Amino acid sequence: MLGLVSAAVLLGMSEWFTASAAGPDLQLRWGLTVGQVGWLTTVVQLGFVAGTAVAAVFNLADVLPSRWYFAGSALAAAAANATLLLVPGFELGLVARFATGFFLAGVYPPGMKMIATWFRSARGFAIGTVVGALTVGKATPYLLKAIGGPGVSAVVLGASLAGCVASVLVLTAYRDGPYPFGRRPFSWSQVLDVLRHRPTMLATGGYLGHMWELYAMWATVSVYFTHFFAARPGSSMLGGFHAAELVAFGVIASGGVGAVMAGVWADQWGRERTTIWMMALSGSCALLMGWVLTLSAWVVVPLALVWGFTIVADSAQFSACVTEVAPRHAIGTALTLQTSLGFALSAVSVQNTVWLAEASGWRLAYGILAVGPVLGMAAMARLRAERRSAGTT
């Protein structure tokens, strides 16, 4: 089941960065600016925020059977993604991308809840594996660009086909595990129950600090290394590969390994302690990256790989914390609300980082990202103290 859910989440979320992979083609086709190409990815996050907000308000993850909710959402997202090939220009392209993100809200949060029904003592490892698979999937468009991958039609249709496969996999093969959370009737009070529950909100606070940093780095790391290699004539190609995209793929994909390993560490040493250490390391990398542009690639690339490893390693553990501390009748709503708030913040962070990098350079743009981990560490330290005093860890 862990393999099934991981594969389904990877395939189902593969539409997220299709506009990034097909960006140059769409830029030529529609006459877009660099900023408009960026919005084709940012608007997916906004759609995801809207979808998770609707799901949280209406308790969809707790009211609907997970199997049907996931499968229907994956299929709808695949259809919305495919319409990118039918729309005539940028404005309707934004609508298609927004709809894709909206329906993907029914894939990722329910996927975490689904796998949590199969694991208790090793829940950190399990959810970490799901997030790791998702991370590698999101890195794949950069690999396609690095090797001179297929054009817009193949990328978009391939991602939509993957979403359809994810839908079929879950619909035909998934079943809840021995630790189900149970279905609950709709109630407006579930959202209020989550918002008033201090441990859940502390875990969400840690997640918000993490998300302030994560997507801003993911969205700009290719641009950062484009600037880095542009200052070194003759190094922009590595054995026929485009160096910036190849490094970006490695940096993001390294987080897949980090998510799995951190899941093991969290199960052994505690979720709060693991997230605090990972945020301390990733925040330190954020502070350093803007200052090393003039150094050798043998210094900068390994530092970026460490950042990629640590920046997402803790991601699954915030969700695992929620499954452990949130009110049992509102687990799905709590996960969905946490995700919604995190992605809303990340949309702001992405645009802020892009603007600062262009206006003031990478030192300030990446340095400000370290604020998130600092605040996230404070929230998780407080959660750790409260759980210890309550005897729940």
Side-chain angles (χ1 to χ4, degrees):
M1 279 300 161
L2 179 57
L4 172 71
V5 174
S6 297
V9 169
L10 188 156
L11 293 170
M13 296 291 286
S14 62
E15 297 104 344
W16 196 285
F17 282 134
T18 51
S20 296
D25 291 329
L26 292 173
Q27 189 172 13
L28 290 174
R29 178 183 294 188
W30 292 341
L32 305 180
T33 65
V34 174
Q36 287 175 317
V37 173
W39 269 106
L40 288 173
T41 296
T42 300
V43 77
V44 178
Q45 293 192 222
L46 297 178
F48 188 88
V49 170
T52 50
V54 170
V57 169
F58 290 99
N59 317 148
L60 296 183
D62 292 307
V63 173
L64 300 176
S66 296
R67 180 166 65 103
W68 287 97
Y69 184 31
F70 185 111
S73 297
L75 191 61
N81 181 69
T83 62
L84 191 63
L85 299 177
L86 304 176
V87 297
F90 176 67
E91 290 77 12
L92 289 178
L94 288 177
V95 175
R97 299 300 290 152
F98 182 91
T100 301
F102 183 90
F103 290 117
L104 286 176
V107 173
Y108 179 37
M112 292 186 292
K113 181 185 177 185
M114 288 158 59
I115 202 59
T117 68
W118 284 93
F119 291 84
R120 181 171 289 171
S121 61
R123 186 170 291 176
F125 163 74
I127 297 180
T129 300
V130 173
V131 173
L134 170 66
T135 301
V136 174
K138 286 191 174 182
T140 301
Y142 291 104
L143 181 62
L144 292 175
K145 291 172 68 177
I147 62 178
V152 58
S153 296
V155 170
V156 172
L157 289 177
S160 291
L161 178 61
C164 293
V165 173
S167 177
V168 172
L169 273 176
V170 169
L171 193 60
T172 59
Y174 174 78
R175 65 184 187 280
D176 282 336
Y179 311 111
F181 297 107
R183 292 171 53 195
R184 303 287 178 175
F186 169 75
S187 172
W188 291 108
S189 65
Q190 285 196 29
V191 178
L192 294 177
D193 290 343
V194 171
L195 291 173
R196 292 168 179 166
H197 193 256
R198 182 174 172 80
T200 302
M201 296 316 296
L202 285 172
T204 300
Y207 181 71
L208 291 177
H210 153 78
M211 288 295 284
W212 173 259
E213 182 189 21
L214 177 61
Y215 271 83
M217 187 274 248
W218 275 2
T220 59
V221 65
S222 177
V223 180
Y224 174 93
F225 277 103
T226 297
H227 292 171
F228 178 81
F229 287 114
R232 293 157 177 78
S235 62
S236 61
M237 298 289 290
L238 295 174
F241 292 86
H242 295 280
E245 283 75 19
L246 186 63
V247 173
F249 167 76
V251 169
I252 298 175
S254 68
V257 180
V260 176
M261 293 185 65
V264 176
W265 298 333
D267 288 332
Q268 294 177 346
W269 303 329
R271 310 209 189 287
E272 296 88 347
R273 178 186 296 178
T274 301
T275 59
I276 289 170
W277 273 104
M278 292 301 102
M279 283 189 284
L281 291 171
S282 66
S284 299
C285 291
L287 288 173
L288 290 172
M289 285 299 294
W291 295 87
V292 298
L293 270 169
T294 59
L295 300 184
S296 165
W298 293 103
V299 174
V300 180
V301 173
L303 178 62
L305 290 171
V306 172
W307 196 13
F309 180 98
T310 56
I311 199 171
V312 75
D314 51 354
S315 186
Q317 303 317 310
F318 300 110
S319 302
C321 277
V322 166
T323 66
E324 293 172 344
V325 304
R328 294 289 295 177
H329 66 280
I331 294 291
T333 298
L335 285 170
T336 305
L337 183 63
Q338 180 192 59
T339 305
S340 179
L341 294 173
F343 276 85
L345 182 64
S346 71
V348 175
S349 179
V350 168
Q351 292 302 116
N352 182 66
T353 302
V354 171
W355 178 79
L356 283 176
E358 185 174 353
S360 304
W362 292 104
R363 293 177 182 178
L364 183 60
Y366 276 170
I368 287 180
L369 294 183
V371 173
V374 171
L375 297 177
M377 290 165 63
M380 296 308 289
R382 185 60 185 166
L383 176 61
R384 183 186 182 195
E386 291 197 2
R387 294 185 75 184
R388 279 188 166 183
S389 64
T392 57
T393 58

